Every structure is written in C-alpha cells, then in structure tokens.
Amino acid sequence: MSTQDLVPSPVGPVDVEQAEAALVERYPRLVRIAYLVLPPAMPRTRRVLTAHALVQRALPRRRVPGPAVPEARRPEDAVDPGYAYVRGEVLRQALVAGLPLRRFALPRRAQLPPLLPQVWGLRLFPRAGGADELALDQLLAGLSAPARAAYVLRGLERQGDAEVLRVLAAAGAADPRAALEELAALEEDGEAPGPAGRVAEQAGPGRVTEQAGPGRVAEQAGPRRASVSPAAPSPAAATRLGGASLLESPEFDPCALQARPGDLLRRRQHGRAVLVGAVALLVCGALLGLPGDGWGRNGAAAPSYARNPAAEAALDPANVRRVAPAVWPGAVRRDFSVWPARGELAGDAPLLRRALAVWARPGGAVESSATPGTPVGPPMGPPQLLFAGRVDAARVVLFHDGLRIVRYAEPVEGTAGAALDFARADGAEGPGASAVVVTRAAGNVRYLTAPWVTGTAVRDLLMPGKEPWALRRDARGVTDAVPSPALAKECARWNTLQVADGSGGRLLGDLGELVPARLLWGPPGAPVDATGREARAVWARTACQLTTVLGQGVGSVRAWRFARQSLPEGAGRAAWVCTRAETWRGTGSRVLAQFLPPDPKVPAALAARAQDAPACGVREPRVLAGALWQAPAGGWYVLAAGGPDVASVRVEGGVTARAEGPVLAAEAEAGARAELSAALDDGRRLPALG
C-alpha cells in the first residue's frame, strides 16, 4: 500500500443541512463511537458528557467543498457523505481529547471539559454490562487512542483495513499503521477462554416473615430469583469475543444512561461554607477598620497552616516513614506499622507531595469518601508509606498514620479526577491487617496483601462445596482483579479473599471499604475463622444479608447458630443464626437474627435486626428472636428461639402461648402480631431482638 492510498477520497461536497441530517439520524451511533474512543480512564460522567459534546460540535459551519469530479466509490466507503464527514470530525476530536495536557502549551478545545451539555447535581453513566463487556473495557483501556479508533471502525463500522487507514489519516492520527499493528499484536497474544457459569437457586416450601419493631413479628417477601453469572474472560480475548455484538451493548451506550445523585453531603457543606465565608469576610472587613490593635493584623492569631513547622514537616515527602522489608519477621506485633514500603513509585517525590497536599487540603474536584466515624483531617505528623505504584490506569498511594488507612489515586494521564479515601484501622492486628483494597474498577477489586501472607485464593461463599481457586499476586503483593460483591447489583455470587499465613487460613470479605472485614464463626468470646465445613454451610445461606452492612466501617462479621428447632407438622428441623457486625470504631454494631429452614438450598430469612445492641456479643451473648412461619400444608405458626441460657419463652398479643425451654411454636393467623419475651435460668427477663 502506498502513502497515496492513505488519503481519504471524499465523494463530493457536504452541505450543512446534509451533515445535520446525518448527525440527527445517527446521533446515538456517533455518540457511541466518541465514547469508545475517549480514554477509559476518564471519569464516566465526564466521558459521557464529552462524547455528546464532541458529536454536537462536529456540525460544520458552512458548506464543505469536495472534488469537482468525485472518485469512484469503493465498496467499503461510507454510503452517506454527510455521515462520513461528521464521523471523521468526531474521531478527530476524540483523538485530540485523549492527548495529555502539556505544561507550556495551550490546551485545545477538545481537551477541555465541555461547556455543553452540562448536568448539575447528578452523575450519569451507562448501564453495567456482563463479564464480556468488562473484558472489552479493560482491553480498550490498554490501547492507544488511534488503536481504539481502529478497533471501533473495524468492529462497529465493519470497515476493512484500507478504509480504516484512510479514516484515521483524515482524523489526524499520527501513525495509522501503528494502530493496526497494535491490534494485530493483541490478537496474536490473546486466547479466548471457554465458557463458564454458575447458577444460585432458592427453593423451599416454608416462608418466613421479618420482625418489625421491638419484639414484634411481621411479614417477609417471597423467594429470590435464580441468576446466572458467567466467568469473566481475559481482556486480550475480547478482540475475538466482541465485534459489533459487544460494541453495541448497553455498557457502551452513552444515550441510555442511569442517574445517581452526586455527593449530597458535600453539596450541603459547600453551601454552608459559602455562607460562613461571606459572614466572616464582612466581620473581618469591619474589624480591620477598628482603631488600635483589636482583632486586626497584630492580633493573637497563630501562623497560617502552610507556615506551621509541624504541618510543613507532615507534608514533606522526605519525612514520610518507610519501613524496611527486614523489620516485620522479628516484630512483636503483626500490624500495619510493620508493613514495608512497596511499589515502583515509592521514591516518586512529586507524586507523594501531591498525595500529601490533597490529604491536607482536598480541592473541590477531589472525590473524597470516609467510613463512618473516620476523621478526615490532615496528618498529625509524617505518615507511614505502605504502597506507591501504578495499578490499572491509576497511580495509587497508600498511607497509614496509626489510626487511618488513607488512599490517594490519580489518573496516569493528567491530574483530573483524583480520589481520596479514608478508613479507620486502629487496633488492626494479624488477620485484621492482612490486606488493603488498592483499586476498584468496573466491578472488580484488587488487594495489597501483608508481607506475611504466603498464599491468596478466592472462595465463593454461596458455593460452600466448591474449593477456592488460586489468586495470583505480583512481586509488589498486589492481587489480580476479583469481581467484588460490594459493587454487584444482585447476590448471584459472594467472592471472598482467603489468605494463608503461618498460623492458618483467614477469610476476608469486601464490604465496600479499604480494609476488608474478617469473617468469623462461633459463639461470642470464642470465634474462629469461617473456613470450616459447618461455617461455610451456614455462611452460604446468610452471606446475602451482608449487603445491609456495606460501607459502615465494619471490621469483622461473626455468625453463630444459637438454636435448633423442630418445626410443627413434621416439617423438619430448622436453625436460628445470629450475625453480628462489629465496627472499627466500637459503636454502630449491627445484629441480625436469621431463620434457616430445613432445606439446605433455601437462603436464610431475616427475622429481626438491631442497631447498637449488645445482644449476641461478648457483653451480652444471649439473643431472642421470632418469626411468623407458614407450614407446607398451609398452616401459620409463631416461631421463637433463644440461646442456651433461656429457660422459657412467652408470646402475647395476637397469639398467647408459653413454652419451657429455649424454643416455642404456637398456631397463629396469617398476619398476626405478637410480643416475645423469655426468662433466663437465673430468673432475669430477656426481651426480643428488634
């Protein structure tokens, strides 16, 4: 192919009306092309709005001239000259938008945030796809902008290589052939995996209703639906899996969007800050005009934060504490304080300086989050560096200051879209300090493991009989990406991180925070890691209730089967389980009482819940709960159960009954409500959980 073949061959002049008609008629397709070519590292809301802006700016201002005698049309040429022109303009602007900003060069229009359209107060993003779309998105993230454009032209526009080269050359790509060679190299290296899948089912004759209010029994909704979750293919294999079928999926449709609110608390705080700042400005102006010293410039004010010596020392990258790799084997305690500084960017002083500055004074464009009860102020002194390196499409820095784990992340290209996350980790030792979340992207999570962790695996809590599969780690201790249940919309699988150290295996669950929660099994005061057969069987039926404690600063979750009960009408033998989630801050614990029907395939039903209750804990290990249950033959019963120290159980109200021992079953009417109470062996009264 000669260089002349790379010159596009227009079919004639293009009128403004003709281009507008093509743009309006194929607007969704043009926006999809722009969205796919834009850098995937760009925040999704900005990527959606930028794609719409690029298409809307592609309309010419005047008639576009063409050759006097159009050349012969090739079979692969675009049918409509107006669409060909608009598509070329969209590609040209999308390629420019992906270029990094340079310090001494003026940014081009496509590199700036769009003026229109604008959306205030909402975050817009396309609907989430499946594992194939995830693999394709990861593949596009690893390609250059011209290679992404070539991939879209071949897969979505179904163009041959010759036409792809012409279109890229017209769009201003520096080296169109290099883009095709990049795709060819990716296709030679990728291997498409075989299909895999898993089905989670629920069935059973009995139904249980949830208790509402203190000691009351209420109704519960019906069974969950079965769902199928395919295994995710490797990103390299998406070159042959995708084609037009994946590129045309809702995952990459920026015209069919979902809306979520922005940071409502921050919006409210900014409004208050503006009001307080205006009042302070008026007061300061009045005070400066007062005679004498007063509160003016010679008042007893401390130096500004930036001039405070202690604050400056905390923000100096040279003062960041780094632990040597040889420290932790001989340390008395195994916690975050003995983690060595890891990552290829641990010596990048500008990166550490930016991370510390954002930590101390996060700007309005920084996306910040903190678990409940976590202070978000600046470091009290030079923090400890745990990790600094490139993970996926971001530069990530992890700090520890004795109380908190602080994560700073910024895009590899550019500085827009920085994120800052805070999580308490005081008192974390041994298993509690075994892993930290490094990144979350596209429904996946990566962990940084402790130096004493000897092996990592993934275990699905919903499949207790399946052996865990190995999870690879790189030399820095960062694991491969794992689908996270905290980001899933349905409870089809619940992946946990199983780590091995010198004292045994540990099970950690991602609850949407920086530090995964430890999953335990057993009575209060004597819990063990939930890796045994009995523990896995119970957790498989109760794991979906963990969605109620996402993002609450939970450090550990313990499940305990506190009672067994023979059901009326010979329906079998059921069990009662208490699940207690403890937080790092001590307060805010949550207790769930769940009823397990005899059928092992039926998930647990939530019978009662309580917040900040001592029940089922070390201070108060006893618990009492009840539920309204329907037998397979249709009869309704009030069921109640307490711990081993319960001498008798009483129900009053819509149903009146009393039973010796820790369990009770009494006939009732559908929708009946009752008050539960129990008497302990020492004569004290135990109220129901709720």
Side-chain angles (χ1 to χ4, degrees), residues 521-528 558 618:
W521 167 256
V528 296
R558 177 181 48 80
V618 176

Side-chain angles (χ1 to χ4, degrees), residues 312-369:
E312 290 181 348
L315 300 182
D316 188 352
N319 295 329
V320 171
R321 293 187 292 111
R322 292 174 171 85
V323 177
V327 171
W328 72 265
V332 177
R333 296 183 54 184
R334 287 189 172 182
D335 55 14
F336 290 117
S337 65
V338 298
W339 274 36
R342 288 174 286 179
E344 69 278 11
L345 300 180
D348 190 339
L351 172 62
L352 299 182
R353 181 176 291 106
R354 289 195 301 272
L356 292 170
V358 172
W359 181 358
R361 302 180 303 277
V366 177
E367 295 185 5
S368 181
S369 68

Side-chain angles (χ1 to χ4, degrees), residues 414-498:
T415 58
L420 188 66
D421 302 307
F422 296 87
R424 284 187 65 166
D426 46 324
E429 184 177 3
S434 296
V436 174
V437 171
V438 179
T439 60
R440 297 182 190 277
N444 290 343
V445 63
R446 293 181 187 267
Y447 299 95
L448 175 67
T449 57
W452 56 81
V453 171
T454 58
T456 54
V458 180
R459 180 180 288 278
D460 187 354
L461 284 184
L462 301 185
M463 301 184 69
K466 183 179 179 181
E467 291 297 321
W469 58 94
L471 181 63
R472 192 185 67 86
R473 294 181 297 166
D474 60 20
R476 306 170 299 174
V478 178
T479 68
D480 286 347
V482 181
S484 171
L487 306 175
K489 297 181 180 179
E490 298 181 354
C491 187
R493 57 181 174 181
W494 199 279
N495 291 331
T496 57
L497 176 66
Q498 183 167 311

Side-chain angles (χ1 to χ4, degrees), residues 423-644:
R424 284 187 65 166
D426 46 324
E429 184 177 3
S434 296
V436 174
V437 171
V438 179
T439 60
R440 297 182 190 277
N444 290 343
V445 63
R446 293 181 187 267
Y447 299 95
L448 175 67
T449 57
W452 56 81
V453 171
T454 58
T456 54
V458 180
R459 180 180 288 278
D460 187 354
L461 284 184
L462 301 185
M463 301 184 69
K466 183 179 179 181
E467 291 297 321
W469 58 94
L471 181 63
R472 192 185 67 86
R473 294 181 297 166
D474 60 20
R476 306 170 299 174
V478 178
T479 68
D480 286 347
V482 181
S484 171
L487 306 175
K489 297 181 180 179
E490 298 181 354
C491 187
R493 57 181 174 181
W494 199 279
N495 291 331
T496 57
L497 176 66
Q498 183 167 311
V499 300
D501 52 28
S503 58
R506 317 294 182 184
L507 206 59
L508 307 175
D510 179 23
L511 299 183
E513 304 167 16
L514 289 180
V515 182
R518 187 181 178 188
L519 304 183
L520 302 170
W521 167 256
V528 296
D529 289 278
T531 55
R533 179 180 300 178
E534 183 182 18
R536 297 200 309 269
V538 173
W539 269 107
R541 305 175 68 182
T542 61
C544 290
Q545 297 295 346
L546 289 176
T547 56
T548 61
V549 296
L550 294 177
Q552 299 300 313
V554 174
S556 65
V557 185
R558 177 181 48 80
W560 172 42
R561 186 179 57 228
F562 63 89
R564 291 181 180 270
Q565 183 176 19
S566 297
L567 298 178
E569 301 183 14
R573 192 167 175 81
W576 293 82
V577 173
C578 175
T579 303
R580 183 177 180 86
E582 299 281 3
T583 64
W584 291 105
R585 62 190 183 276
T587 59
S589 60
R590 181 166 298 187
V591 184
L592 307 177
Q594 303 178 70
F595 175 82
L596 275 65
D599 189 348
K601 297 182 180 180
V602 179
L606 184 61
R609 72 180 76 188
Q611 186 83 14
D612 279 322
C616 200
V618 176
R619 195 178 70 184
E620 178 55 78
R622 304 168 185 87
V623 62
L624 174 67
L628 188 63
W629 175 78
Q630 185 180 24
W636 288 90
Y637 294 86
V638 169
L639 304 179

